[in-house]
Amino acid sequence: MSHHDQDAPVHGGRSPANRLGLDYHTVPPRRFTGRSIDIHTHVRRSPTLPQFFEAADLYGVGTVVSMTPLDEVPALQDEYGDRLRFIAIPNWRQKDRTEDFRRQWLADLEAFAGRGARRMKFWMAPPMREKFPRLLRDDFFTPVLEQGCALGFDFMIHAGDPTAWFAPGGKYADAARFGTKESQYDQLEYLLERVAPRNVIAAHMGGNCEDPGFLARLLDRYPNLYLDSSATKWIVRAVAAQPEGVRALLLRHPTRILFGSDLVVADHYDFDHYASRYWCQVQMWESVYRGESPIEDPDAAPPPRLAGVDLPAEVLMQLYRGNAERLGYS
């Protein structure tokens, strides 16, 4: 489970990943020319996997860090070797969230560690509250946290979702079922304190790219907190609403934010889908682009917008590669 940055399948007409009819094989001018590390993907075995790697190669992505089901990891490692690194996740296909689920999760953590994973993820998005009424402080998670620490893992967490989804009429408007947007962050802060000094990546710009001031205060308070830029469609929307605020956040904390796409490899996607996320991130971080986003976005006021924040070269180096290297990726 994740906030995957997905488009609907194409059923004729222009792709929702390419509403502007761009040729994504033409990469925008780059100001970062190294090999980036995509810290947040969901790579699966699929006929479209070569198209994902075609897009990654074209846009200069080297190492890909993935949340892949454990049973698919061995074959992917055999084929791609160190190009792919893995984050330990539970078997979300197991619908029961009782003791059997936790027992399997604990066993899977050991198996992931044996496959070289050095980070584990907690998916604590608002639907967890509704479907499986547990928060990270719940005793259910204590053995999992202890096992992760014993195995030497660092952590990733998904806490929070787009602010628009909590607004009246949004899918999380019922605070009794989902909690408020603000209440999501108790789980993040609990994890940061519980596992310190181990580092924690808060996915999707900490679930609150709409409020860069809030994120800056969290980063000031917790030296073991990092953010990633994944959930590209959401991040594009939030940055376009306040590019200067987001730029100021990255300039204030250049060593704490990592590049990630949240791309999901699936049979119904194609090169344009995969390349669209990388195209948007290049424009967003490296350019002064002001215009429409090529990705359809039902949560944006039409037409969806994209704004470049023109980061300095030294900040781009940290974002795309340096920060991930300091966390043990290469």
Side-chain angles (χ1 to χ4, degrees):
M1 287 187 184
S2 170
H3 171 279
H4 301 328
D5 184 16
Q6 298 185 39
D7 292 323
V10 180
H11 298 294
R14 184 160 284 177
S15 163
N18 196 357
R19 53 183 294 276
L20 302 180
L22 301 173
D23 177 6
Y24 288 129
H25 289 92
T26 302
V27 178
R30 300 296 307 268
R31 293 177 43 244
F32 174 79
T33 57
R35 298 289 281 175
S36 60
I37 297 171
D38 189 339
I39 201 71
H40 190 131
T41 69
H42 302 264
V43 172
R44 304 288 303 270
R45 298 180 68 193
S46 166
T48 71
L49 185 53
Q51 295 176 65
F52 166 79
F53 277 110
E54 179 188 0
D57 288 340
L58 188 63
Y59 283 80
V61 177
T63 301
V64 173
V65 185
S66 174
M67 282 148 275
T68 298
L70 179 60
D71 60 351
E72 297 189 26
V73 168
L76 287 169
Q77 278 189 319
D78 288 346
E79 185 167 0
Y80 293 99
D82 288 342
R83 176 90 186 263
L84 273 176
R85 308 294 176 86
F86 298 97
I87 294 174
I89 56 173
N91 180 10
W92 289 116
R93 290 169 291 188
Q94 185 177 339
K95 300 301 183 184
D96 188 5
R97 298 290 184 264
T98 60
E99 181 59 33
D100 286 343
F101 175 81
R102 185 173 63 181
R103 188 179 300 111
Q104 186 62 55
W105 192 355
L106 294 170
D108 288 354
L109 288 176
E110 290 201 42
F112 268 110
R115 287 283 173 179
R118 292 296 176 263
R119 186 175 303 276
M120 60 178 289
K121 182 183 180 183
F122 287 103
W123 184 80
M124 305 304 299
M128 177 71 85
R129 233 182 256 251
E130 179 194 30
K131 297 178 182 177
F132 322 111
R134 301 183 187 278
L135 302 177
L136 197 53
R137 292 180 183 271
D138 193 295
D139 289 343
F140 178 86
F141 292 105
T142 301
V144 181
L145 274 165
E146 291 175 346
Q147 173 89 320
C149 289
L151 290 168
F153 281 119
D154 293 312
F155 296 86
M156 177 180 279
I157 185 172
H158 175 150
D161 266 333
T163 301
W165 295 358
F166 291 88
K171 64 181 183 178
Y172 299 153
D174 186 347
R177 293 166 60 198
F178 299 105
T180 63
K181 175 79 179 243
E182 294 73 20
S183 72
Q184 310 301 314
Y185 291 93
D186 175 71
Q187 300 188 91
L188 171 60
E189 295 194 59
Y190 169 74
L191 181 62
L192 287 161
E193 293 165 2
R194 175 71 172 74
V195 304
R198 298 173 193 272
N199 64 74
V200 176
I201 298 174
H204 318 315
M205 292 294 282
N208 206 351
C209 192
E210 300 93 340
D211 190 347
F214 171 80
L215 295 178
R217 291 189 293 274
L218 276 179
L219 290 165
D220 287 340
R221 192 179 315 139
Y222 295 103
N224 59 329
L225 172 63
Y226 293 78
L227 312 177
D228 73 35
S229 69
S230 67
T232 302
K233 181 162 53 179
W234 172 13
I235 304 306
V236 164
R237 179 171 69 249
V239 172
Q242 47 180 328
E244 292 308 316
V246 175
R247 188 177 194 274
L249 173 67
L250 274 89
L251 294 182
R252 179 171 173 173
H253 290 288
T255 63
R256 308 280 292 284
I257 300 172
L258 300 90
F259 169 69
S261 67
D262 202 18
L263 277 166
V264 180
V265 174
D267 293 359
H268 59 273
Y269 292 142
D270 59 10
F271 172 84
D272 269 12
H273 173 86
Y274 300 129
S276 68
R277 273 52 183 174
Y278 292 134
W279 188 96
C280 284
Q281 296 237 10
V282 166
Q283 295 285 44
M284 185 165 55
W285 303 128
E286 300 181 44
S287 82
V288 294
Y289 181 97
R290 290 291 189 278
E292 295 187 24
S293 169
I295 303 172
E296 287 186 6
D297 185 354
D299 293 310
R305 310 298 297 178
L306 188 152
V309 301
D310 192 27
L311 293 173
E314 60 272 20
V315 178
L316 291 173
M317 178 60 189
Q318 304 294 350
L319 172 72
Y320 281 125
R321 187 170 188 92
N323 298 335
E325 287 182 329
R326 275 189 291 277
L327 298 188
Y329 298 97
S330 59

